[in-house]
Structure formats: structure tokens, C-alpha cells
Amino acid sequence: MNAKETESPLLSPARLADTDLPNRLVIAPMTRNRAEPSGTPSELMAEYYAQRASAGLIIAEASTPSRVGRTYPDIAALYRPEHTEGWRRVNRRVAEAGGRMFAQIQHGGRVGHPDTSGLTPLAPSPIALPGTIHTPGGRQPAVTPRQMGRDDIATTVADFASAARRAVEAGFLGVEVHAANGYLLHQFLTPGTNRRRDAYGGAPENRMRFVLEVVQAVVAEVGPDRVGVRVSPGNTANGIAETDEDIAALYPELTTRLDALGPVYLHVAFADPDSSVWKRIRSRWSRTLIGNPVLPGGEIPADGGRDAAERMLRAGADLVALGRPFLANPDLVERIRTGAPVNPVRDRYLMYVGGATGYTDYPALGG
């Protein structure tokens, strides 16, 4: 046995509900914009995920639960039968390669544009995304979203539940509710994007209400062992601004309330294993906790992220999600096991646009 193999706890087996995982490495959900314009997953996506089937768990890229929730061109979806069938083909390829997948369900909220969806974006409050947004016609100024009424909220909750059912029908082990990174659910959590004065705004317990209603509906639809939730305390993506006071008042309590609903895992994005909020989340979460660490400089370290991932495990994570290291290294698990060099990301532009180049053409060891 290779000495390095015995050194890394990342390579030890784990269990997620009734599913055995061969290692503790998770592929973080990464939007790659390779779906068909309709939102149907492509054959190229099936190849991409099958290449990476050695990960303990794959969390697939964000799929929108409704037309109005679309964020950018060529993202995946889960609201039409053809979307379900497309994801079924992807899951079949991944299962044949020995992999396991969860879907991520994401509604963009104000992160959207009429030129992409054909509809005015919805959000908790009519506050536009700062700056510009990528559309089929190039970058354009963001539009002011329409504030969601009670009917919009109820419809969106139902859309998440319906998307979860479609995901399970498509062969996913479960779904991850995306409440992070500045998209709709995160917009409800944050006072800078949620200026409401009704039951969904104001005090922290009101701002978390929509997230809890979505998770509760998804759990009721597919069962708690098929549901995960992603949060990102303090993440400034998509114009989000959270103060330390906001974070301390909201996220530990949100963790407690989510835990009571029974999801199988909580996934903390941009996690700092030394922070007080991570420690408080760990102390309040009773099931599998996934940590997604920040990598130095946002680049792939020479060790493929191994050191950062092992720090997360020592800080109480049960599983560790990595993004870019898996993007450029389909066989990252083997590279970590053997200590082999890792591929860098060759072209950042090709992370979000294009075909096979910069997507399925990263070489495996010996390739």
C-alpha cells in the first residue's frame, strides 16, 4: 500500500444516510454552462461527470426549478420532462462508472435577466444586482427585479418540491437546496437584499422563513435522507453583504431550525474551519456536515487542495467539497492518493463557456 494512501483521512470510506461512499471527497456544484439552451443536460455533461465518478459524492451543477429562476445562458434545469430525461442520461453514465450524485436546485432570484428567461426576475425586494450580468447577447446591466408576493412565494416553494421529485425520478440520490452564494434563498436571508416588512423580512427569524419553507416542502416531497442544504455565511458573491452581527444572529439559529427538519447534510460553502460561525454550526448540526474550504488565492494548490481539505476534517467536517481541483483533474482522488502533480485550470474563460475544450479534455494520469 502506498504510504500516502494511509496518511490521508480524505480517502477513508464514509456513509451518507444509506449510501456508502468510498472516500470523503465531494465535487462541489459548479455551473459550467454546457447544457442545451432549453436547460436540458447535454451528452457532453454526461461525459464530464462520468470522468469524475471516483469522487465519494458528486453534487451536480445548479439546476433551476422554474423558467423565471434561470440565471445565465445554457444552465441546466429541472422543470420539464426533457430536463428529467437529460439528467437521467447523465446519472446512467455516472452510475455505470461507479459514481453517486445529488442534484443542486437553485433559483437565481435577482440574478437573472429577461433576455435569458423571457421574464422579469423575482426577488424578496426590488433591489437590482449591482453591475452587469451575462446574457445570450453579452453582458448587460442588471434589471430591477419584481418583489415577490405571497402567491409568488408559494409557487416557488412548490417549484422546488417539484424539481426535487424530478431529480429523484432522474436517478439522483437526492437534492441540495441552494441557499448560498447570493441567489434567491440567500437574498431572503440577508437584510441588504431583503427589505420586506411582512413575515418574510426584518428580524432574522422572519428572513429565514422562506428557506425553511422550501426545505420543509422538499423534505416532504422526497424524504429527509434525500435532501441537503447549502449555505455560505459571509460570502459576498452576487452583491451580498453580511455583517458579523448578521451572521452571528442568523446562521447558528438557522442551523438549529434546519436540523429539526431532518436533511441528511448541511453544506457550508467558503468555510473557514477556524471561525466561530463554523464551530457554532458544527455544534448545532447533528448529521453529515460538508465543508467547502477556501483555497489560497482561489487557485488549485500544488497538493490539489489536500491540506485545506484535511484541515476541514480536523475541524469537524464529515465530508469535504472541492471545486476547481476536480474541474481540472477528473482523477483528483487518485492524484491525492499518490501525491501526483495536478493540472491547473488552463483558461478561466472556458470555465463558463464552450464545448469539450476546457471541460472534458483535462488529462487523467497516464493520459
Side-chain angles (χ1 to χ4, degrees):
M1 180 179 291
N2 188 300
K4 287 185 178 294
E5 184 174 359
T6 63
E7 291 174 1
S8 181
L10 296 167
L11 303 174
S12 64
R15 195 166 176 83
L16 183 67
D18 294 330
T19 301
D20 291 321
L21 308 181
N23 57 70
R24 296 175 185 270
L25 286 162
V26 176
I27 298 182
M30 293 178 284
T31 294
R32 303 301 310 277
N33 302 82
R34 260 73 172 192
E36 305 295 339
S38 65
T40 301
S42 63
E43 290 295 335
L44 193 63
M45 289 170 61
E47 179 182 354
Y48 169 82
Y49 284 115
Q51 288 176 341
R52 290 154 177 79
S54 61
L57 179 69
I58 300 170
I59 305 174
E61 64 203 82
S63 288
T64 182
S66 64
R67 180 181 164 197
V68 73
R70 291 179 66 84
T71 50
Y72 314 109
D74 303 325
I75 65 164
L78 266 170
Y79 59 89
R80 291 179 180 167
E82 55 265 36
H83 302 152
T84 307
E85 184 55 37
W87 277 121
R88 186 177 287 119
R89 291 192 294 267
V90 175
N91 274 291
R92 188 178 301 123
R93 288 280 301 277
V94 171
E96 289 170 354
R100 298 138 299 275
M101 292 183 76
F102 263 56
Q104 187 190 70
I105 306 174
Q106 171 199 283
H107 189 300
R110 70 177 185 169
V111 185
H113 196 279
D115 284 5
T116 300
S117 67
L119 300 168
T120 300
L122 298 175
S125 299
I127 302 170
L129 177 77
T132 61
I133 186 169
H134 184 55
T135 75
R139 298 203 70 87
Q140 297 193 50
V143 300
T144 299
R146 179 169 66 83
Q147 178 167 309
M148 295 172 71
R150 291 297 186 98
D151 288 347
D152 297 312
I153 288 173
T155 296
T156 303
V157 170
D159 287 341
F160 269 86
S162 177
R165 174 175 45 78
R166 289 186 182 279
V168 172
E169 290 171 354
F172 285 104
L173 293 177
V175 299
E176 178 178 277
V177 174
H178 196 3
N181 297 7
Y183 298 106
L184 180 64
L185 274 65
H186 198 180
Q187 291 161 27
F188 267 89
L189 293 175
T190 306
T193 48
N194 183 348
R195 306 283 177 82
R196 303 174 72 97
R197 297 185 178 182
D198 62 2
Y200 293 89
E205 58 265 28
N206 287 348
R207 285 185 273 122
M208 68 180 72
R209 188 184 308 276
F210 178 60
V211 173
L212 296 171
E213 288 181 355
V214 168
V215 174
Q216 184 174 30
V218 172
V219 165
E221 188 71 28
V222 299
D225 285 353
R226 293 183 180 272
V227 180
V229 182
R230 194 183 205 206
V231 296
S232 58
N235 181 17
T236 60
N238 291 310
I240 292 293
E242 294 176 313
T243 67
D244 291 342
E245 291 76 15
D246 292 333
I247 293 168
L250 189 141
Y251 283 97
E253 181 61 22
L254 177 63
T255 300
T256 297
R257 297 191 186 197
L258 286 171
D259 191 71
L261 298 177
V264 69
Y265 74 72
L266 182 65
H267 180 185
V268 183
F270 299 96
D272 177 357
D274 297 322
S275 70
S276 61
V277 68
W278 168 264
K279 294 172 184 176
R280 294 178 70 189
I281 287 173
R282 175 67 281 181
S283 69
R284 294 181 179 220
W285 188 255
S286 64
R287 287 172 291 279
T288 298
L289 184 62
I290 303 176
N292 174 206
V294 177
L295 298 179
E299 301 295 338
I300 302 175
D303 66 355
R306 173 175 169 169
D307 181 64
E310 289 180 350
R311 285 185 62 226
M312 291 288 347
L313 289 184
R314 290 194 297 270
D318 300 293
L319 306 173
V320 182
L322 297 175
R324 293 185 185 186
F326 272 111
L327 180 158
N329 296 275
D331 57 348
L332 181 66
V333 174
E334 181 65 10
R335 292 174 190 266
I336 287 178
R337 186 184 72 80
T338 62
V342 294
N343 301 320
V345 174
R346 291 197 303 264
D347 187 333
R348 290 193 178 205
Y349 174 76
L350 293 175
M351 289 171 60
Y352 305 112
V353 66
T357 304
Y359 188 56
T360 55
D361 65 341
Y362 280 100
L365 290 169

